Amino acid sequence: MTDSAQPPASRPPFRGRITEALTDLGIAETLTDLLLPAPHALPVSPATDRVVWDAIDAVTRAALLDAATADLGTPWPTPLARDAARYHRDGNREEYERAVFRRQERVSRAVVAAALTGSDVWLDEAADGLWLLCEQSTWCWPAHDDTRARHGAVLATVTDPFLDLGAGELVAQLAWADHVLGDALDDRYPGLRARIRHEARVRVFDPFLQRQDWHWIGLDRPPHNWNPWIHGNVLVAALGLLDDSALQARVIALVVDGLDRYVTALPEDGAIDEGYAYWWNGALRALEALDVLEHATGGRAALSARIAALRETVAFPHRCHLGGDWYLNLADGQARPTLDQPWHALHRAARAVGDRDAEAHAATHRDPHTPAATEISGLGRLLRGITDPLWRDARSAGSPLPRDVFWPSTEVLLARGSAGSATGLTLAVKGGTNDENHNHDDIGEIIVARDGVPVLIDAGRPTYTAVTFSPQRYTLWPMQSGWHSVPVIDGHEQEHGPSFAADSVDARIGDDGSAMSLEIAGAYPAGAVSSWVRSAGLDRSSGTVTITDTWTPGVHAVQHLLVAGTVCAEPGGVRITPIEGAGDVRVRWDGPAAQLTVRTLDDPLLREVWGESVTRIEVPAGSGGASRITVELVRAEAEEVR
């Protein structure tokens, strides 16, 4: 039961990288005393600042107003009980979440339309949406709520709200809307802002203070991307909606403590074990939260550039870039994620830490003929994007595409033919463990792209359901090692858990070529094989990738290669025509012909990336203890004649 009179729970203070940086700045003990008053605490100008709002570019203005106009007079999306209960009945979480997302996106469009125009039409639309959000029975997404375990209910228990990603996003949206439209709301809808503050207190601030068993804090396990995502949103809400300075100070002190746990756990090389797709809602959320904190302290708490792991993580997106729309994907990431990302936030973070390559990569996505930001990523990100003059004018000559990257923390190597070009083959090799966030069983996985388009692939994730994060997770084929480019050893696939890991990882980077070798026997059940050393390298002179495996003789093995594109058998191998028009690739090996297993994709997320099917090439490797597979370019006829 939530009781605002109940004293907050306590936890031992954490002293990590953020605390150290604040101490160096001399403000560790006085941080909350530096906070600006609510009207100035958030880094976006209110609608009354017409200099800022009238300067928003015409393309962005037209796109947002057109989208908002299309909403007028239509029924508001409504989250239904039957859809909330479906998560517990048949595992479907999409129907409920879709209604919630569409409702919040409409609110964001209305808020921005009201700020752009000052029209009562849009203010009414925004007020309707904000009121509906306050009336919504729960802000938590059913897939996250613990009401079933605590109360035996399939619907949210309103007296015991759960603070999850959904609640964090919604309370921050209310705070941003209140900040931008505050004066106009007071004039036309007196009482609405008080209602917003009441709901924020009951649903977010009280639970945040009173419960310290939130799994996302990182008290008894390594923190994951929920930590900065929720803490950053609570920070925004506390700055904008808490009028009690003592209460605000308590909340923000806990926020900073929680963020410190995440930032301190971030590896020095800035890598995210969940991969590129989750960087946007993990490390970037931490950078955005610290950016807000810096603004709220009048610039005193400038932390990102002072912490090496944060400086390095700003480079993570462009270091994962394969070319075009394609990225190196690991775990539940998608190889071709939506381009509708908050690139302005990356651009701003890159500016803060002085990373010109990251800034250039972000700027490649600033098309002056498209909006500076959209409502898809939330109201806060929308507001930051459309009001950032440096982002509005950003231009880039292209993505840096570094030649080689090795992340020791995740034991991942990426190597391409030359810096700045996606032409030819790009190789990625993965070590790590089978106990990573959003884990797939994939130790020793090989990914190869031609001209930036993946050919040997990681399928990524299907649509999330109740099974995805349940004990049945590894019944899903994309999570199994049998559907990754790793061997099957005496009929055994890899297992998951912290003890199933790579060993003796050795990455070698050079001008002539780059390669990585690793011992992967530990990823398989005990007794499957005593040693299996996998080595994969890119020869830059020939543009060829070679995959060499040596293992204990007498153990029978089959090599699996997961492929996107059309596969045609040839003597001694196969020829692959990749998707997206990339040039052909030839895969060769010594020994019998391979079996080809075509898997039709019925999941919409997987089809969106890979098309109708993927193919598993199953290469008999025998029991002799050695195997060699090469991946080479198939030259265009004109090149072959020369």
Side-chain angles (χ1 to χ4, degrees), residues 63 82 99 102 105 203 269 296 302 415 519 543 560 562:
R82 70 184 69 183
R102 297 298 87 84
E105 289 160 11
R203 300 176 190 238
D269 58 20
E519 171 65 71
H560 281 186
L562 188 63

Side-chain angles (χ1 to χ4, degrees), residues 562-638:
L562 188 63
V563 172
T566 303
V567 183
C568 297
E570 294 183 338
V574 297
R575 178 168 174 157
I576 304 168
T577 301
I579 61 178
E580 294 292 304
D584 284 9
V585 167
R586 182 171 282 118
V587 181
R588 299 182 183 274
W589 60 86
D590 295 326
Q595 178 177 328
L596 304 180
T597 300
V598 177
R599 181 155 202 138
T600 301
L601 301 178
D602 54 8
D603 182 86
L605 283 184
L606 294 174
R607 288 176 67 92
E608 184 178 286
V609 177
W610 306 117
E612 295 184 358
S613 64
V614 294
T615 301
R616 185 172 67 186
I617 304 171
E618 300 159 15
V619 182
S623 56
S627 167
R628 185 172 183 269
I629 296 172
T630 61
V631 185
E632 60 191 46
L633 301 170
V634 176
R635 307 287 182 180
E637 285 189 17

Side-chain angles (χ1 to χ4, degrees), residues 307-321:
I307 298 173
L310 292 175
R311 295 196 302 271
E312 288 298 312
T313 203
V314 170
F316 190 67
H318 74 259
R319 288 173 178 170
C320 289
H321 190 204

Side-chain angles (χ1 to χ4, degrees), residues 4 160 166 216-217 362 626 642:
S4 59
D160 188 15
W216 40 265
I217 295 175
R642 287 199 299 269

Side-chain angles (χ1 to χ4, degrees), residues 50 53-66 116-117:
R50 297 318 303 173
W53 283 90
D54 291 343
I56 292 173
D57 66 276
V59 171
T60 296
R61 178 185 298 269
L64 291 169
L65 289 177
D66 286 349
L116 286 170
T117 66

Side-chain angles (χ1 to χ4, degrees), residues 463-485:
T463 302
Y464 285 159
T465 69
V467 173
T468 310
F469 300 106
S470 76
Q472 290 74 47
R473 175 178 175 85
Y474 294 94
T475 64
L476 302 172
W477 69 266
M479 283 66 170
Q480 300 166 358
S481 71
W483 288 95
H484 288 77
S485 294

Side-chain angles (χ1 to χ4, degrees), residues 114-293:
L116 286 170
T117 66
S119 167
D120 287 346
V121 170
W122 297 119
L123 192 61
D124 291 345
E125 173 82 352
D128 282 346
L130 296 171
W131 184 256
L132 284 171
L133 296 182
C134 289
E135 292 284 301
Q136 195 168 297
S137 290
T138 178
W139 294 350
C140 174
W141 302 337
H144 301 159
D145 204 339
D146 63 359
T147 187
R148 189 75 181 268
R150 288 166 68 94
H151 304 287
V154 297
L155 300 177
T157 303
V158 297
T159 53
D160 188 15
F162 190 91
L163 178 51
D164 76 323
L165 301 176
E169 279 291 287
L170 202 149
V171 77
Q173 181 176 29
L174 292 174
W176 286 113
D178 179 273
H179 173 73
V180 170
L181 299 180
D183 290 347
L185 290 175
D186 279 340
D187 289 343
R188 192 165 176 84
Y189 288 95
L192 178 55
R193 298 179 74 193
R195 174 68 186 279
I196 288 171
R197 282 159 173 72
H198 168 77
E199 298 297 342
R201 177 72 182 265
V202 170
R203 300 176 190 238
V204 172
F205 298 129
D206 286 349
F208 181 68
L209 290 171
Q210 291 164 9
R211 285 184 63 173
Q212 294 301 308
D213 61 343
W214 306 112
H215 66 84
W216 40 265
I217 295 175
L219 297 179
D220 56 358
R221 68 182 78 180
H224 49 78
N225 71 308
W226 282 37
N227 174 302
W229 194 345
I230 295 174
H231 281 115
N233 280 326
V234 172
L235 173 64
V236 166
L239 290 170
L241 299 178
L242 281 177
D243 303 318
D244 180 331
S245 60
L247 178 61
Q248 183 188 66
R250 293 209 309 271
V251 170
I252 290 178
L254 276 182
V255 164
V256 173
D257 180 273
L259 287 170
D260 202 358
R261 296 171 192 271
Y262 179 85
V263 170
T264 301
L266 192 67
E268 288 285 343
D269 58 20
I272 302 298
D273 62 0
E274 297 160 295
Y276 164 84
Y278 283 86
W279 180 89
W280 294 96
N281 283 318
L284 182 59
R285 293 284 183 176
L287 289 162
E288 288 176 291
L290 294 179
D291 182 50
V292 169
L293 187 66

